[in-house]
Amino acid sequence: GVAPWFFPTAEEYTMILESHGFDVTYIALRPRPTPLPTGMEGWIRTFADPFFADATPQQKETAIAHAIHLLMPSLRDSNELWTADYVRLRFHAVLKRDSQQ
């Protein structure tokens, strides 16, 4: 299946907007660390489920456990609290006059 997420760089998104007739006046990636009250496992089960559509239940559980193991050193603190390392893409773009209908 197709990955449901899209994480462009500021430069990539600028090119997309400009190719559709916009002038980009501002664009930036902003870190937005977000606490995960249900932990990484809860987050994965809530938001990453589409990635497991073709997996067996055992494959899904193994993949989730492996992801948690890989993410633990960087996203779980000494109090065992998880934080997602979200990054927000913020921009301001104006449709070029010659692109308006």
Side-chain angles (χ1 to χ4, degrees):
V2 176
W5 298 332
F6 175 56
F7 302 109
T9 64
E11 293 79 16
E12 288 171 321
Y13 209 69
T14 296
M15 289 177 20
I16 291 169
L17 289 166
E18 289 175 347
S19 74
H20 286 86
F22 287 89
D23 278 323
V24 178
T25 59
Y26 170 82
I27 192 163
L29 291 172
R30 298 278 176 100
R32 190 169 178 256
T34 304
L36 300 177
T38 62
M40 186 54 67
E41 182 176 349
W43 188 94
I44 291 171
R45 291 186 186 283
T46 300
F47 294 103
D49 203 54
F51 289 108
F52 301 113
D54 296 330
T56 66
Q58 181 59 42
Q59 290 170 325
K60 179 178 178 177
E61 295 307 313
T62 299
I64 290 171
H66 187 65
I68 289 168
H69 174 75
L70 292 173
L71 295 169
M72 196 177 294
S74 59
L75 298 180
R76 191 176 81 167
D77 67 19
S78 60
N79 294 318
E80 299 188 4
L81 299 175
W82 287 87
T83 301
D85 58 346
Y86 285 120
V87 177
R88 179 171 284 173
L89 177 65
R90 299 200 49 136
F91 67 91
H92 181 263
V94 179
L95 189 61
K96 294 177 186 175
R97 286 188 181 268
D98 58 350
S99 296
Q100 295 177 351
Q101 296 183 12

XYZ file of all heavy atoms in Angstrom:
821
model
N 0.802 -1.189 0.000
C 0.000 0.000 0.000
C 0.850 1.261 0.000
O 2.062 1.220 0.083
N 0.192 2.359 -0.109
C 0.845 3.663 -0.142
C 0.998 4.185 1.284
O 0.090 4.092 2.092
C 0.011 4.661 -0.982
C 0.629 6.039 -0.947
C -0.110 4.164 -2.410
N 2.161 4.728 1.594
C 2.402 5.315 2.909
C 1.474 6.516 3.095
O 1.385 7.382 2.224
C 3.855 5.737 3.045
N 0.774 6.573 4.235
C -0.190 7.654 4.440
C 0.438 8.968 4.898
O -0.260 9.942 5.078
C -1.102 7.090 5.532
C -0.219 6.172 6.304
C 0.742 5.591 5.302
N 1.738 8.982 5.079
C 2.397 10.181 5.596
C 3.308 10.783 4.533
O 3.853 10.097 3.690
C 3.223 9.845 6.830
C 2.420 9.325 7.967
C 1.108 9.590 8.246
C 2.866 8.441 8.985
N 0.716 8.932 9.383
C 1.780 8.215 9.864
C 4.071 7.820 9.259
C 1.870 7.398 10.975
C 4.160 7.002 10.370
C 3.065 6.804 11.209
N 3.480 12.096 4.609
C 4.308 12.837 3.665
C 5.094 13.866 4.463
O 4.501 14.691 5.151
C 3.401 13.512 2.626
C 4.114 14.411 1.668
C 5.160 13.960 0.888
C 3.718 15.728 1.533
C 5.811 14.793 -0.005
C 4.350 16.580 0.640
C 5.401 16.098 -0.132
N 6.419 13.783 4.437
C 7.269 14.663 5.230
C 8.259 15.407 4.327
O 9.444 15.088 4.307
C 8.038 13.871 6.294
C 7.146 13.116 7.235
C 7.072 11.739 7.191
C 6.370 13.793 8.159
C 6.252 11.047 8.069
C 5.542 13.109 9.040
C 5.492 11.728 8.990
N 7.785 16.412 3.598
C 8.694 17.139 2.705
C 9.598 18.091 3.481
O 9.265 18.527 4.582
C 7.734 17.930 1.820
C 6.580 18.228 2.734
C 6.437 16.979 3.581
N 10.721 18.400 2.882
C 11.553 19.474 3.424
C 10.900 20.796 3.043
O 9.994 20.840 2.191
C 12.969 19.434 2.822
O 12.868 19.684 1.405
C 13.657 18.087 3.071
N 11.359 21.880 3.637
C 10.836 23.203 3.275
C 11.096 23.472 1.793
O 10.234 24.023 1.089
C 11.464 24.281 4.147
N 12.250 23.064 1.315
C 12.594 23.280 -0.091
C 11.675 22.479 -1.017
O 11.215 22.984 -2.035
C 14.059 22.908 -0.346
C 15.059 23.808 0.337
C 15.246 23.500 1.835
O 14.845 22.398 2.314
O 15.770 24.377 2.542
N 11.407 21.220 -0.662
C 10.518 20.396 -1.479
C 9.114 20.989 -1.530
O 8.495 21.055 -2.600
C 10.434 18.974 -0.919
C 11.688 18.150 -1.131
C 11.636 16.835 -0.381
O 11.134 16.790 0.769
O 12.103 15.836 -0.957
N 8.614 21.445 -0.379
C 7.257 21.982 -0.365
C 7.186 23.322 -1.088
O 6.175 23.630 -1.733
C 6.717 22.087 1.063
C 5.225 21.939 1.091
C 4.627 20.724 0.797
C 4.402 23.018 1.381
C 3.245 20.579 0.799
C 3.023 22.886 1.385
C 2.458 21.669 1.097
O 1.088 21.540 1.089
N 8.242 24.116 -1.014
C 8.307 25.358 -1.781
C 8.159 25.059 -3.275
O 7.383 25.708 -3.980
C 9.627 26.101 -1.513
O 9.662 26.495 -0.138
C 9.768 27.336 -2.402
N 8.895 24.049 -3.738
C 8.832 23.685 -5.159
C 7.425 23.225 -5.546
O 6.929 23.572 -6.624
C 9.870 22.609 -5.485
C 11.283 23.151 -5.451
S 12.638 21.965 -5.730
C 11.908 20.598 -6.524
N 6.764 22.481 -4.678
C 5.398 22.020 -4.964
C 4.449 23.212 -5.069
O 3.666 23.322 -6.012
C 4.915 21.031 -3.885
C 5.697 19.719 -3.992
C 3.412 20.784 -4.004
C 5.500 18.779 -2.823
N 4.519 24.115 -4.091
C 3.646 25.293 -4.112
C 3.910 26.154 -5.345
O 2.976 26.599 -6.021
C 3.828 26.111 -2.836
C 3.264 25.480 -1.567
C 3.800 26.193 -0.331
C 1.748 25.491 -1.587
N 5.173 26.400 -5.638
C 5.514 27.233 -6.799
C 5.069 26.581 -8.104
O 4.630 27.277 -9.028
C 7.008 27.525 -6.806
C 7.424 28.480 -5.709
C 8.911 28.707 -5.599
O 9.704 27.943 -6.202
O 9.300 29.660 -4.897
N 5.136 25.251 -8.179
C 4.702 24.562 -9.401
C 3.186 24.638 -9.607
O 2.699 24.364 -10.699
C 5.158 23.104 -9.380
O 4.381 22.342 -8.471
N 2.473 25.034 -8.544
C 1.022 25.203 -8.648
C 0.614 26.679 -8.646
O -0.531 27.024 -8.338
C 0.315 24.447 -7.516
C 0.333 22.975 -7.735
N 1.380 22.166 -7.338
C -0.550 22.155 -8.357
C 1.138 20.930 -7.673
N -0.035 20.885 -8.305
N 1.568 27.554 -8.958
C 1.247 28.957 -9.156
C 1.320 29.842 -7.927
O 0.784 30.951 -7.932
N 1.976 29.414 -6.869
C 2.087 30.219 -5.658
C 3.468 30.842 -5.529
O 4.469 30.260 -5.939
C 1.833 29.362 -4.410
C 0.394 28.990 -4.223
C -0.117 27.830 -4.798
C -0.452 29.786 -3.467
C -1.450 27.481 -4.623
C -1.778 29.438 -3.279
C -2.273 28.277 -3.865
N 3.499 32.029 -4.945
C 4.741 32.647 -4.487
C 4.834 32.361 -2.999
O 3.917 32.700 -2.242
C 4.723 34.173 -4.697
C 5.080 34.569 -6.107
O 5.955 33.910 -6.705
O 4.476 35.529 -6.613
N 5.918 31.756 -2.578
C 6.102 31.427 -1.167
C 6.839 32.584 -0.513
O 7.964 32.903 -0.882
C 6.886 30.109 -1.000
C 7.121 29.811 0.467
C 6.130 28.973 -1.681
N 6.179 33.232 0.446
C 6.798 34.372 1.122
C 7.471 33.961 2.430
O 8.319 34.679 2.942
C 5.751 35.465 1.406
O 4.721 34.918 2.234
C 5.155 35.992 0.109
N 7.070 32.796 2.968
C 7.668 32.306 4.206
C 7.456 30.800 4.274
O 6.373 30.301 3.951
C 6.994 32.964 5.419
C 7.395 32.335 6.742
C 8.586 32.701 7.367
C 6.602 31.372 7.340
C 8.961 32.111 8.560
C 6.978 30.787 8.536
C 8.157 31.157 9.140
O 8.534 30.570 10.323
N 8.498 30.088 4.689
C 8.358 28.649 4.925
C 9.443 28.226 5.912
O 10.583 28.682 5.833
C 8.424 27.839 3.611
C 7.984 26.397 3.847
C 9.794 27.925 2.975
C 7.614 25.642 2.577
N 9.048 27.399 6.876
C 10.013 26.937 7.873
C 9.509 25.665 8.539
O 8.312 25.464 8.704
C 10.231 28.008 8.942
N 10.446 24.823 8.917
C 10.146 23.657 9.731
C 10.338 24.051 11.185
O 11.375 24.624 11.543
C 11.079 22.493 9.384
C 10.863 21.877 8.007
C 11.964 20.871 7.710
C 9.508 21.205 7.922
N 9.346 23.774 12.017
C 9.401 24.146 13.436
C 9.297 22.898 14.300
O 8.275 22.196 14.238
C 8.236 25.073 13.790
C 8.231 26.386 13.063
C 9.180 27.344 13.775
N 9.292 28.592 13.088
C 8.656 29.691 13.426
N 7.820 29.694 14.424
N 8.855 30.796 12.742
N 10.315 22.608 15.111
C 10.200 21.477 16.030
C 9.032 21.689 16.994
O 8.788 22.801 17.444
C 11.531 21.496 16.788
C 12.458 22.283 15.931
C 11.606 23.278 15.202
N 8.310 20.631 17.269
C 7.158 20.701 18.162
C 7.096 19.425 19.003
O 6.236 18.560 18.776
C 5.888 20.861 17.333
C 4.676 21.189 18.157
C 3.534 21.591 17.225
N 2.360 21.855 18.007
C 1.329 21.036 18.117
N 1.319 19.895 17.477
N 0.299 21.350 18.868
N 8.017 19.264 19.939
C 8.001 18.071 20.781
C 6.643 17.928 21.462
O 6.106 18.896 21.989
C 9.103 18.337 21.812
C 9.938 19.421 21.229
C 9.053 20.222 20.333
N 6.088 16.722 21.418
C 4.744 16.491 21.930
C 4.730 15.299 22.885
O 5.066 14.179 22.481
C 3.783 16.218 20.758
O 3.861 17.323 19.844
C 2.360 16.042 21.228
N 4.348 15.526 24.140
C 4.252 14.406 25.093
C 3.235 13.370 24.616
O 2.200 13.720 24.044
C 3.775 15.065 26.387
C 4.090 16.509 26.225
C 4.000 16.802 24.760
N 3.547 12.110 24.849
C 2.658 11.020 24.461
C 2.127 10.331 25.720
O 2.779 9.453 26.274
C 3.406 9.998 23.594
C 3.983 10.520 22.284
C 4.758 9.424 21.577
C 2.893 11.080 21.391
N 0.945 10.726 26.175
C 0.421 10.167 27.422
C 0.211 8.657 27.378
O 0.260 7.996 28.412
C -0.894 10.903 27.640
C -1.178 11.649 26.405
C 0.070 11.717 25.589
N -0.031 8.098 26.185
C -0.213 6.645 26.083
C 1.078 5.940 25.687
O 1.076 4.751 25.390
C -1.314 6.296 25.059
O -0.917 6.765 23.766
C -2.644 6.903 25.453
N 2.193 6.688 25.660
C 3.474 6.099 25.285
C 3.579 5.898 23.789
O 2.654 6.175 23.024
N 4.737 5.407 23.375
C 4.970 5.182 21.947
C 4.099 4.057 21.411
O 3.600 4.124 20.287
C 6.443 4.873 21.691
C 6.791 4.763 20.225
S 6.321 6.209 19.225
C 7.411 7.453 19.892
N 3.859 3.033 22.208
C 3.017 1.929 21.737
C 1.612 2.428 21.413
O 1.049 2.087 20.370
C 2.942 0.804 22.762
C 2.119 -0.366 22.262
C 2.105 -1.543 23.200
O 2.889 -1.579 24.167
O 1.288 -2.452 22.950
N 1.055 3.246 22.279
C -0.279 3.799 22.023
C -0.297 4.658 20.777
O -1.245 4.610 19.980
N 0.757 5.447 20.591
C 0.835 6.306 19.414
C 0.902 5.466 18.143
O 0.179 5.724 17.169
C 2.053 7.232 19.503
C 2.071 8.260 18.429
C 1.585 9.529 18.496
C 2.588 8.104 17.097
N 1.761 10.171 17.294
C 2.375 9.322 16.420
C 3.196 7.070 16.415
C 2.751 9.520 15.102
C 3.567 7.259 15.092
C 3.345 8.481 14.453
N 1.762 4.450 18.159
C 1.901 3.588 16.976
C 0.574 2.902 16.654
O 0.141 2.872 15.499
C 3.023 2.550 17.180
C 4.390 3.250 17.189
C 2.980 1.474 16.101
C 5.542 2.356 17.605
N -0.081 2.366 17.662
C -1.340 1.664 17.423
C -2.432 2.612 16.910
O -3.298 2.213 16.124
C -1.805 0.958 18.684
C -0.920 -0.216 19.048
C -1.460 -1.014 20.227
N -0.508 -2.039 20.610
C -0.318 -3.189 19.964
N -1.022 -3.453 18.885
N 0.572 -4.068 20.397
N -2.380 3.870 17.307
C -3.378 4.843 16.870
C -3.097 5.380 15.467
O -3.990 5.449 14.628
C -3.439 6.026 17.859
O -3.792 5.522 19.144
C -4.454 7.067 17.421
N -1.844 5.752 15.208
C -1.535 6.482 13.973
C -0.844 5.674 12.880
O -0.856 6.086 11.728
C -0.693 7.719 14.288
C -1.432 8.733 15.091
C -1.186 8.863 16.447
C -2.400 9.539 14.525
C -1.874 9.785 17.216
C -3.101 10.461 15.275
C -2.832 10.583 16.626
N -0.224 4.550 13.229
C 0.534 3.808 12.219
C -0.172 2.539 11.750
O 0.398 1.760 10.998
C 1.921 3.464 12.762
N -1.392 2.343 12.167
C -2.108 1.121 11.815
C -2.160 0.837 10.309
O -2.067 -0.321 9.912
C -3.510 1.140 12.421
C -4.070 -0.249 12.564
O -3.397 -1.097 13.194
O -5.175 -0.505 12.040
N -2.294 1.856 9.426
C -2.326 1.553 7.989
C -1.095 0.805 7.488
O -1.171 0.054 6.526
C -2.419 2.937 7.329
C -3.052 3.800 8.364
C -2.535 3.285 9.682
N 0.037 0.986 8.148
C 1.248 0.293 7.720
C 1.178 -1.212 7.971
O 1.959 -1.973 7.420
C 2.471 0.860 8.442
C 2.842 2.231 7.978
C 2.614 3.328 8.784
C 3.411 2.440 6.731
C 2.958 4.601 8.366
C 3.750 3.707 6.299
C 3.525 4.790 7.120
N 0.279 -1.642 8.824
C 0.176 -3.057 9.181
C -0.961 -3.774 8.465
O -1.291 -4.912 8.811
C -0.001 -3.195 10.700
C 1.126 -2.595 11.481
C 0.919 -1.472 12.270
C 2.391 -3.144 11.434
C 1.959 -0.916 12.998
C 3.442 -2.595 12.159
C 3.223 -1.479 12.941
N -1.546 -3.154 7.482
C -2.710 -3.723 6.798
C -2.440 -5.119 6.240
O -3.318 -5.975 6.270
C -3.171 -2.788 5.680
N -1.243 -5.353 5.740
C -0.923 -6.646 5.132
C -0.134 -7.559 6.066
O 0.308 -8.631 5.652
C -0.132 -6.438 3.842
C -0.953 -5.708 2.775
O -2.188 -5.866 2.764
O -0.355 -4.980 1.968
N 0.048 -7.153 7.311
C 0.838 -7.947 8.257
C -0.051 -8.909 9.038
O -1.221 -8.630 9.290
C 1.554 -7.013 9.232
N 0.543 -10.019 9.433
C -0.160 -10.928 10.333
C -0.134 -10.297 11.724
O 0.683 -9.409 11.996
C 0.542 -12.298 10.401
O 1.825 -12.128 11.023
C 0.687 -12.925 9.011
N -0.998 -10.732 12.631
C -0.953 -10.192 13.999
C 0.438 -10.334 14.638
O 0.908 -9.413 15.309
C -2.008 -11.010 14.742
C -2.993 -11.378 13.680
C -2.154 -11.632 12.450
N 1.095 -11.460 14.416
C 2.443 -11.657 14.985
C 3.448 -10.689 14.370
O 4.281 -10.121 15.074
C 2.909 -13.102 14.787
C 4.285 -13.378 15.361
C 4.376 -13.104 16.869
O 3.470 -13.446 17.621
N 5.448 -12.463 17.299
N 3.390 -10.486 13.057
C 4.288 -9.531 12.401
C 4.067 -8.124 12.938
O 5.020 -7.380 13.167
C 4.075 -9.548 10.882
C 4.562 -10.798 10.204
C 4.119 -10.869 8.754
O 3.028 -10.428 8.381
N 4.979 -11.441 7.917
N 2.804 -7.774 13.145
C 2.476 -6.447 13.668
C 3.069 -6.258 15.056
O 3.727 -5.244 15.327
C 0.953 -6.258 13.705
C 0.500 -4.924 14.258
C -1.017 -4.818 14.218
C -1.495 -3.511 14.809
N -2.960 -3.371 14.710
N 2.874 -7.227 15.945
C 3.395 -7.119 17.307
C 4.915 -7.061 17.323
O 5.506 -6.287 18.077
C 2.884 -8.279 18.164
C 1.380 -8.265 18.372
C 0.855 -6.940 18.899
O 1.430 -6.395 19.864
O -0.146 -6.433 18.347
N 5.550 -7.854 16.476
C 7.012 -7.849 16.389
C 7.516 -6.498 15.893
O 8.481 -5.948 16.430
C 7.499 -8.985 15.461
O 7.077 -10.236 16.006
C 9.011 -8.974 15.315
N 6.863 -5.957 14.886
C 7.278 -4.666 14.330
C 7.104 -3.550 15.355
O 7.973 -2.681 15.488
C 6.482 -4.357 13.067
N 5.995 -3.552 16.087
C 5.761 -2.522 17.105
C 6.818 -2.616 18.196
O 7.405 -1.603 18.589
C 4.336 -2.628 17.680
C 3.310 -2.212 16.624
C 4.189 -1.765 18.934
C 1.859 -2.475 17.016
N 7.093 -3.810 18.662
C 8.116 -3.990 19.704
C 9.484 -3.526 19.217
O 10.236 -2.876 19.958
C 8.166 -5.448 20.139
N 9.808 -3.829 17.963
C 11.101 -3.424 17.405
C 11.178 -1.893 17.278
O 12.206 -1.292 17.611
C 11.316 -4.091 16.049
C 12.669 -3.876 15.482
N 13.818 -4.359 16.065
C 13.063 -3.197 14.375
C 14.861 -4.001 15.340
N 14.435 -3.288 14.312
N 10.095 -1.272 16.814
C 10.074 0.189 16.692
C 10.260 0.840 18.056
O 11.034 1.800 18.201
C 8.765 0.649 16.052
N 9.574 0.333 19.063
C 9.702 0.884 20.415
C 11.143 0.755 20.903
O 11.709 1.701 21.460
C 8.704 0.201 21.370
C 7.285 0.655 21.027
C 9.041 0.505 22.830
C 6.200 -0.156 21.697
N 11.740 -0.400 20.657
C 13.139 -0.616 21.058
C 14.074 0.391 20.375
O 14.968 0.951 21.019
C 13.552 -2.055 20.718
C 14.988 -2.341 20.952
N 15.521 -2.520 22.214
C 16.020 -2.453 20.074
C 16.821 -2.737 22.101
N 17.145 -2.696 20.821
N 13.878 0.632 19.098
C 14.730 1.564 18.347
C 14.529 3.016 18.784
O 15.483 3.802 18.807
C 14.469 1.444 16.847
C 14.895 0.138 16.178
C 14.425 0.107 14.734
C 16.411 -0.044 16.268
N 13.300 3.384 19.122
C 12.987 4.772 19.473
C 13.281 5.121 20.930
O 13.451 6.292 21.277
C 11.516 5.063 19.165
C 11.132 4.993 17.696
C 9.625 5.026 17.536
C 11.806 6.103 16.913
N 13.346 4.123 21.777
C 13.498 4.351 23.212
C 14.688 5.247 23.581
O 14.519 6.186 24.375
C 13.595 3.003 23.937
C 13.374 3.100 25.424
S 13.401 1.462 26.208
C 11.943 0.715 25.495
N 15.875 5.042 23.033
C 17.004 5.880 23.455
C 16.841 7.370 23.154
O 17.376 8.211 23.871
C 18.187 5.308 22.667
C 17.788 3.930 22.295
C 16.290 3.977 22.120
N 16.098 7.705 22.122
C 15.996 9.113 21.750
C 14.670 9.782 22.125
O 14.623 11.010 22.220
C 16.238 9.287 20.247
O 15.297 8.551 19.498
N 13.609 8.999 22.352
C 12.298 9.618 22.584
C 11.691 9.304 23.949
O 10.608 9.786 24.257
C 11.315 9.204 21.479
C 11.693 9.645 20.062
C 10.643 9.182 19.063
C 11.896 11.143 19.976
N 12.374 8.515 24.777
C 11.885 8.244 26.128
C 12.886 8.801 27.126
O 14.085 8.540 27.041
C 11.697 6.748 26.357
C 10.927 6.454 27.654
C 10.665 5.002 27.826
N 11.866 4.375 28.371
C 11.900 3.155 28.882
N 10.820 2.409 28.884
N 13.015 2.666 29.352
N 12.396 9.563 28.084
C 13.298 10.200 29.055
C 13.577 9.298 30.254
O 13.095 8.159 30.325
C 12.765 11.573 29.479
C 11.478 11.516 30.280
O 11.141 10.453 30.838
O 10.804 12.556 30.360
N 14.338 9.810 31.196
C 14.746 9.022 32.364
C 13.575 8.678 33.286
O 13.687 7.777 34.121
C 15.830 9.763 33.147
O 15.329 11.007 33.591
N 12.451 9.384 33.137
C 11.241 9.075 33.901
C 10.316 8.131 33.136
O 9.159 7.954 33.519
C 10.495 10.363 34.265
C 11.285 11.222 35.212
O 11.889 10.707 36.158
N 11.307 12.514 34.960
N 10.821 7.605 32.017
C 10.085 6.682 31.147
C 8.880 7.330 30.470
O 7.903 6.662 30.128
C 9.698 5.400 31.889
C 10.912 4.645 32.380
C 10.579 3.275 32.955
O 9.398 2.858 32.913
O 11.517 2.630 33.441
N 8.951 8.647 30.267
C 7.902 9.377 29.548
C 8.347 9.556 28.102
O 9.496 9.898 27.821
C 7.656 10.737 30.208
C 7.187 10.679 31.659
C 7.099 12.088 32.238
C 5.865 9.952 31.778
N 7.403 9.355 27.212
C 7.671 9.450 25.782
C 7.286 10.822 25.243
O 6.285 11.397 25.646
C 6.871 8.387 25.036
C 7.383 6.998 25.217
C 7.057 6.128 26.213
C 8.313 6.321 24.384
N 7.728 4.942 26.042
C 8.507 5.031 24.923
C 9.012 6.671 23.229
C 9.355 4.100 24.348
C 9.855 5.734 22.666
C 10.024 4.469 23.214
N 8.080 11.300 24.280
C 7.798 12.546 23.579
C 7.981 12.308 22.087
O 9.039 11.821 21.656
C 8.744 13.673 24.035
O 8.583 13.858 25.438
C 8.455 14.975 23.313
N 6.963 12.631 21.297
C 7.074 12.525 19.839
C 7.871 13.717 19.327
O 7.693 14.838 19.793
C 5.690 12.504 19.201
N 8.734 13.466 18.385
C 9.553 14.543 17.819
C 8.897 15.120 16.562
O 9.447 15.114 15.479
C 10.977 14.063 17.541
C 11.041 12.873 16.603
O 10.004 12.229 16.361
O 12.142 12.570 16.115
N 7.668 15.621 16.760
C 6.944 16.241 15.653
C 7.693 17.464 15.137
O 8.349 18.172 15.891
C 5.564 16.725 16.104
C 4.544 15.652 16.288
C 3.951 15.453 17.523
C 4.136 14.849 15.233
C 2.990 14.477 17.719
C 3.181 13.864 15.411
C 2.619 13.685 16.651
O 1.678 12.730 16.844
N 7.518 17.701 13.843
C 8.022 18.914 13.216
C 6.885 19.471 12.375
O 6.272 18.748 11.587
C 9.254 18.632 12.325
C 9.713 19.901 11.621
C 10.380 18.034 13.148
N 6.577 20.732 12.580
C 5.484 21.374 11.843
C 6.068 22.181 10.694
O 7.044 22.905 10.866
C 4.700 22.282 12.774
C 3.561 22.993 12.078
C 2.691 23.700 13.043
N 1.856 22.692 13.694
C 1.057 22.942 14.713
N 0.996 24.144 15.216
N 0.320 21.992 15.232
N 5.468 22.053 9.537
C 5.850 22.854 8.375
C 4.884 24.029 8.313
O 3.686 23.851 8.119
C 5.763 22.024 7.095
C 6.059 22.754 5.787
C 7.511 23.218 5.760
C 5.773 21.859 4.604
N 5.409 25.228 8.510
C 4.575 26.443 8.468
C 4.969 27.239 7.236
O 6.158 27.364 6.930
C 4.782 27.261 9.728
C 4.357 26.442 10.949
C 4.090 27.258 12.115
N 3.226 28.365 11.812
C 2.205 28.740 12.555
N 1.919 28.094 13.641
N 1.486 29.778 12.231
N 3.968 27.791 6.570
C 4.289 28.583 5.380
C 3.210 29.619 5.123
O 2.096 29.539 5.626
C 4.466 27.690 4.147
C 3.212 27.008 3.688
C 2.377 27.608 2.754
C 2.866 25.764 4.178
C 1.219 26.984 2.333
C 1.709 25.133 3.759
C 0.893 25.743 2.824
N 3.591 30.594 4.319
C 2.654 31.578 3.790
C 2.944 31.659 2.307
O 4.091 31.864 1.894
C 2.853 32.951 4.448
C 1.879 33.962 3.944
N 2.191 34.849 2.944
C 0.597 34.212 4.287
C 1.147 35.612 2.698
N 0.164 35.238 3.497
N 1.909 31.459 1.518
C 2.062 31.493 0.071
C 0.886 32.249 -0.524
O -0.234 32.170 -0.020
C 2.140 30.082 -0.493
N 1.154 32.986 -1.586
C 0.133 33.795 -2.247
C 0.027 33.339 -3.694
O 1.048 33.198 -4.386
C 0.512 35.296 -2.180
C -0.526 36.137 -2.892
C 0.694 35.738 -0.737
N -1.204 33.117 -4.132
C -1.422 32.723 -5.517
C -1.025 33.873 -6.437
O -1.454 35.018 -6.235
C -2.892 32.348 -5.731
C -3.249 31.717 -7.060
C -2.501 30.406 -7.265
C -4.748 31.486 -7.135
N -0.209 33.570 -7.422
C 0.222 34.597 -8.374
C -0.988 35.080 -9.163
O -1.897 34.319 -9.465
C 1.255 34.027 -9.356
C 2.558 33.630 -8.687
C 3.484 33.005 -9.728
C 4.728 32.469 -9.056
N 5.599 31.762 -10.004
N -1.006 36.373 -9.464
C -2.151 36.951 -10.190
C -2.417 36.235 -11.510
O -3.546 35.981 -11.853
C -1.912 38.439 -10.461
C -2.068 39.286 -9.245
C -2.020 40.761 -9.645
N -2.145 41.599 -8.467
C -3.289 42.067 -8.009
N -4.403 41.784 -8.639
N -3.326 42.821 -6.938
N -1.371 35.890 -12.240
C -1.562 35.245 -13.531
C -2.023 33.791 -13.388
O -2.432 33.181 -14.337
C -0.303 35.316 -14.395
C 0.911 34.673 -13.729
O 0.852 34.331 -12.532
O 1.922 34.511 -14.432
N -2.041 33.264 -12.153
C -2.527 31.904 -11.923
C -3.991 31.874 -11.509
O -4.613 30.837 -11.499
C -1.696 31.228 -10.814
O -0.361 31.099 -11.235
N -4.537 33.046 -11.141
C -5.932 33.105 -10.704
C -6.852 33.064 -11.920
O -6.521 33.556 -12.978
C -6.185 34.376 -9.901
C -5.419 34.406 -8.603
C -5.625 35.717 -7.846
O -6.206 36.666 -8.351
N -5.125 35.749 -6.618
N -8.012 32.480 -11.711
C -8.969 32.386 -12.822
C -10.127 33.324 -12.604
O -10.510 33.646 -11.554
C -9.482 30.958 -12.943
C -8.353 30.032 -13.291
C -8.878 28.591 -13.485
O -10.074 28.351 -13.573
N -7.967 27.653 -13.563
